[in-house]
Amino acid sequence: MLRRLKLDLKRNYQAYLMVLPSIVLIFIFCYIPMYGILIAFQDYRPQVGVLGSEWVGLAHFKDFFRSPHALNVIRNTLFISIYSLAVGFPCPILLALLLNEVKCQVFKRTVQTISYMPYFISTVVICGMLKSFLAYDGVFNEIVKLFGGAPSSFLSSPALFPSIIVFSDLWQCIGWNTIIYMAALTNIDPNLYEAAHMDGCGRIRQMWHITLPGIVPTVVVLLILSIGGLLSANSGKILLLYTPLTYETGDVIGTFIYRRGLQGGDYSYSEAVGLFQTVINFLLLVFANWFSNKTTETSLW
């Protein structure tokens, strides 16, 4: 085994050198900070550091699950994440399938460019646009008034807040996520389409029997990764858009950690909640990978 590794390093040292900076960055920014997990089991005080803080065991985990906020933030996180998965996951696949059927290359590239553009806009700018468009005197309320409706403050509505987050994410990311599926479509053998056409299959049947099966492995892998982040809603955007009026449906684990940890200074408690979130996401990833391996024979490992 060691001899094989040395031989591989000798043959492919250029590739390993190219990967080395990424490995170093991951080690510095992902593995070394894991030392901070210890404060989830301590009454951490910055003035004495990690080693000098008192150990409290699982006290912070117990406090979180006993608090009145636990059920609400977990429910909101799951609801927004599942809602986003149900809406945001199939739409890029559908867009890729539609673009694959377009024969006019100019139109195809134009649609791709327009759909990609929102992804390169900063989330802060996106949130500023949403606040402007959804304000009481914004564009959407002007449209509502045009059709005889009464204007309202959309961002202050707890019922509408999850939909605003989900569909703004869809608008921002649908074009970028389509790139992966478009790349997968290029690996399908064109001869399969020609054979299907000769057998009398139309465009819909070719899409159903050739195109979709051809991208199933890519779809499954991305679905596994999405399930692995099911307990991680888009906290950054939510943090920029939500208000106390929308805490009822918009307060998720990530925003709760921010308020309790950075704003409230309770670092150990917020680290405990973050560790709980990470562990659940990891278990979901393992389960999704195992289930996919058993049912589709496609998995991450």
Side-chain angles (χ1 to χ4, degrees):
M1 183 68 180
L2 185 60
R3 183 181 177 183
R4 186 183 302 174
L5 178 61
K6 289 181 179 179
L7 184 61
D8 188 59
L9 287 173
K10 185 177 179 179
R11 288 179 176 176
N12 305 297
Y13 71 92
Q14 299 97 334
Y16 284 107
L17 287 176
M18 292 179 63
V19 173
L20 184 60
S22 300
I23 295 175
V24 173
L25 288 175
I26 291 173
F27 180 76
I28 293 174
F29 293 104
C30 296
Y31 284 92
I32 293 180
M34 289 178 69
Y35 172 72
I37 292 175
L38 294 175
I39 70 175
F41 307 95
Q42 296 178 325
D43 183 14
Y44 176 70
R45 291 180 296 166
Q47 60 270 26
V48 297
V50 175
L51 298 179
S53 299
E54 179 185 357
W55 291 89
V56 296
L58 301 176
H60 298 301
F61 296 92
K62 295 177 181 178
D63 290 343
F64 171 66
F65 289 113
R66 291 171 181 169
S67 72
H69 305 288
L71 181 61
N72 185 55
V73 296
I74 293 174
R75 182 183 65 242
N76 291 343
T77 304
L78 286 174
F79 177 75
I80 292 177
S81 296
I82 294 173
Y83 188 5
S84 180
L85 184 64
V87 173
F89 188 79
C91 286
I93 301 174
L94 180 60
L95 179 59
L97 293 175
L98 292 175
L99 289 174
N100 189 56
E101 298 299 319
V102 175
K103 299 304 180 184
C104 179
Q105 292 300 315
V106 175
F107 178 76
K108 182 177 180 178
R109 290 170 184 170
T110 302
V111 172
Q112 286 179 297
T113 302
I114 293 174
S115 63
Y116 297 160
M117 288 174 63
Y119 183 81
F120 298 99
I121 302 175
S122 168
T123 301
V124 176
V125 176
I126 292 288
C127 292
M129 294 168 60
L130 288 172
K131 288 181 179 180
S132 177
F133 294 158
L134 299 173
Y136 194 81
D137 56 350
V139 174
F140 283 88
N141 272 315
E142 293 297 326
I143 296 174
V144 170
K145 288 190 290 185
L146 184 65
F147 288 92
S152 61
S153 181
F154 293 101
L155 286 174
S156 299
S157 172
L160 294 177
F161 189 80
S163 296
I164 293 172
I165 296 297
V166 169
F167 284 97
S168 63
D169 282 345
L170 176 64
W171 170 72
Q172 186 177 5
C173 300
I174 185 172
W176 181 259
N177 293 336
T178 303
I179 295 175
I180 302 174
Y181 300 110
M182 293 295 293
L185 289 172
T186 60
N187 292 324
I188 299 176
D189 188 356
N191 294 325
L192 295 175
Y193 292 104
E194 294 179 7
H197 179 70
M198 292 178 64
D199 289 339
C201 290
R203 305 296 297 180
I204 300 298
R205 293 186 66 184
Q206 290 179 29
M207 183 187 298
W208 184 258
H209 294 288
I210 299 175
T211 308
L212 280 175
I215 63 172
V216 161
T218 303
V219 172
V220 170
V221 169
L222 292 178
L223 182 60
I224 293 172
L225 294 174
S226 298
I227 293 175
L230 200 60
L231 217 61
S232 300
N234 193 342
S235 304
K237 181 176 288 185
I238 294 173
L239 190 64
L240 291 169
L241 290 177
Y242 81 156
T243 64
L245 294 174
T246 54
Y247 280 0
E248 178 186 350
T249 59
D251 194 19
V252 296
I253 294 177
T255 56
F256 178 74
I257 291 172
Y258 173 81
R259 291 202 318 275
R260 188 68 182 259
L262 294 181
Q263 293 184 334
D266 197 346
Y267 303 111
S268 294
Y269 184 90
S270 61
E271 179 62 30
V273 179
L275 181 58
F276 158 74
Q277 180 186 29
T278 302
V279 170
I280 297 301
N281 278 337
F282 174 74
L283 293 176
L284 287 172
L285 177 64
V286 172
F287 173 77
N289 187 76
W290 170 82
F291 184 79
S292 175
N293 192 27
K294 291 292 184 181
T295 55
T296 66
E297 298 183 356
T298 300
S299 60
L300 296 177
W301 65 84

